[in-house]
Amino acid sequence: MKRRIVLMVVFSLFCMITKFENNCFAVDAKVETKAKYTIGFSQATITEPWRLLFNKELRIEADKYPEIELLVRDGLDDAQKQIADVEEFISRKVDVILISPKVAQDLTPVVNKAMDHNIPVIVLDRDLSNKKYTQFIGGDNKLIGRTAGEYAVKRLGGKGKAKGNIVEIWGGMAATPAQDRHSGFAESIRQEKGIKNLIPPKDGDWKQDLAYDIMADALEKFDKIDLVYAHNDPMAYGAFLAAKDMGREKEIMFLGIDAIPAEGIKWVNQGNLTATFLYMTPGAEGIRQAMKLLKGEKIAPNVVLPTMVIDSTNAAEILKKNGLL
Ligand code: FRU
């Protein structure tokens, strides 16, 4: 028994040190070999450009495999509609379900139900309330939040000396990326006595117009705002517009997340946002992992997508590479 525990600890350490955990703990799902497969993709909403890019990248990847029939459903930003979409996939007995859940709690039971029906489920971008699914693919939102926090500290005077009033605008509070983006950021600014968070948590539901209202309210209440940290670029831009309408945009730094070239990176290059942090869409990777499963290969329980900082030092270069400058 003791030897087994020691072996397990050594194995886990090896996985951690070699950053090999994905392969060490690979999972396997029983999928029947067939000539044609159906993949059902349940998207939370298509109201934001990031979601449209996500769907586009997913479709481009799926088109590479003639053996796939892809069903895409739009949850219309409504958890009940999204539950019905997954129910439809279960009754059609699709071979794999991909889902990017609007919120964790409401979508967890139906994903668990799909797993009980032996349909593997790959969860994309936003997580669920339990781990009863085949694989999760997404960016490390805690790391993104921490990186944004470190960036804010640097721009507000540096470690131990930073000073400034901050407005944080949350994405959907019931969604895991918003929770992690908040806690990562909070971790980075916690030690800075000179940084003050001006407003209590406010749910911007990832939307530009809601963020505009939250910011307009904050601008009315506070004469000095130094930095806005919004959980995505559309909300950072909404906050920028609110400040611009009051002639105060030049005094404030705006940080967002996503870094879509035609959106966040363009806004950084125009000088509207100070920085954005890359949050890749998991569309293409979702299809690649589903294909592995369908071919009978083992897949990792967790795939983490990389991030990077985009500010005035590299925005133009990225836009050029994307043919947008
Ligand atoms: C799009 C979006 C992105 C954000 C992601 C978080 O719906 O709001 O802007 O990064 O969802 O899940």
Side-chain angles (χ1 to χ4, degrees):
M1 183 65 186
K2 225 172 165 185
R3 210 170 142 238
R4 200 191 289 167
I5 293 172
V6 171
L7 275 174
M8 273 170 62
V9 170
V10 170
F11 177 67
S12 307
L13 279 175
F14 167 77
C15 294
M16 274 158 58
I17 292 164
T18 58
K19 293 218 169 51
F20 220 64
E21 69 259 55
N22 287 351
N23 297 331
C24 287
F25 302 105
V27 288
D28 204 1
K30 303 265 164 301
V31 182
E32 216 185 300
T33 314
K34 296 196 240 169
K36 203 99 194 148
Y37 296 101
T38 308
I39 296 178
F41 171 46
S42 162
Q43 176 61 285
T45 172
I46 50 165
T47 51
E48 292 134 71
W50 189 86
R51 296 275 154 196
L52 293 174
L53 180 67
F54 183 165
N55 282 15
K56 187 176 159 197
E57 291 175 346
L58 185 133
R59 283 183 202 277
I60 289 174
E61 190 61 28
D63 283 348
K64 295 181 186 165
Y65 305 95
E67 67 271 39
I68 291 184
E69 191 203 345
L70 179 67
L71 305 173
V72 178
R73 295 289 177 268
D74 173 12
L76 304 175
D77 227 358
D78 171 0
Q80 294 313 311
K81 162 72 167 69
Q82 199 172 16
I83 291 169
D85 292 342
V86 179
E87 290 282 5
E88 182 206 338
F89 293 153
I90 296 173
S91 54
R92 287 174 83 137
K93 297 189 171 59
V94 300
D95 297 293
V96 179
I97 292 175
L98 300 180
I99 178 169
S100 187
K102 174 166 170 60
V103 285
Q105 220 180 356
D106 295 349
L107 271 306
T108 300
V110 77
V111 166
N112 293 171
K113 180 175 167 186
M115 293 290 288
D116 289 337
H117 282 72
N118 293 321
I119 302 176
V121 182
I122 299 181
V123 179
L124 307 171
D125 151 51
R126 298 183 187 167
D127 208 349
L128 296 172
S129 306
N130 66 32
K131 301 286 175 206
K132 188 173 165 184
Y133 50 73
T134 313
Q135 181 185 61
F136 178 81
I137 309 174
D140 182 340
N141 286 297
K142 201 99 183 240
L143 171 71
I144 292 175
R146 262 201 315 265
T147 312
E150 284 161 12
Y151 190 92
V153 167
K154 210 156 113 200
R155 297 300 298 257
L156 291 171
K159 235 179 174 171
K161 295 175 290 191
K163 261 201 192 69
N165 292 342
I166 290 187
V167 167
E168 176 175 0
I169 303 177
W170 282 63
M173 279 175 174
T176 57
Q179 294 154 6
D180 292 344
R181 288 172 192 188
H182 165 74
S183 63
F185 188 81
E187 235 174 69
S188 291
I189 63 165
R190 190 168 301 141
Q191 304 300 331
E192 300 299 328
K193 299 285 170 276
I195 291 186
K196 197 170 157 209
N197 217 332
L198 292 176
I199 62 168
K202 287 255 167 71
D203 193 327
D205 196 28
W206 312 106
K207 308 284 187 292
Q208 182 176 312
D209 54 344
L210 290 179
Y212 181 100
D213 294 345
I214 293 171
M215 185 64 183
D217 198 40
L219 285 159
E220 234 160 67
K221 290 199 177 101
F222 304 100
D223 290 338
K224 190 173 175 292
I225 299 175
D226 301 292
L227 186 140
V228 171
Y229 167 53
H231 290 181
N232 71 359
D233 290 337
M235 295 194 300
Y237 190 63
F240 162 79
L241 292 177
K244 189 164 182 267
D245 286 349
M246 296 199 189
R248 289 176 59 186
E249 82 281 11
K250 298 265 184 315
E251 333 156 355
I252 305 169
M253 289 183 269
F254 297 89
L255 308 185
I257 294 168
D258 279 346
I260 296 181
E263 198 191 47
I265 303 186
K266 184 187 80 187
W267 292 329
V268 169
N269 196 49
Q270 286 170 184
N272 306 145
L273 305 189
T274 311
T276 174
F277 302 83
L278 176 67
Y279 187 60
M280 282 175 67
T281 96
E285 191 58 28
I287 293 292
R288 283 195 284 271
Q289 296 290 330
M291 286 316 295
K292 280 192 183 179
L293 257 190
L294 293 172
K295 285 181 190 146
E297 288 174 35
K298 283 194 164 68
I299 62 168
N302 204 7
V303 175
V304 182
L305 302 175
T307 183
M308 70 184 280
V309 183
I310 292 106
D311 61 9
S312 61
T313 61
N314 57 354
E317 187 194 327
I318 299 174
L319 289 181
K320 269 188 206 135
K321 274 192 193 140
N322 283 275
L324 294 169
L325 248 194

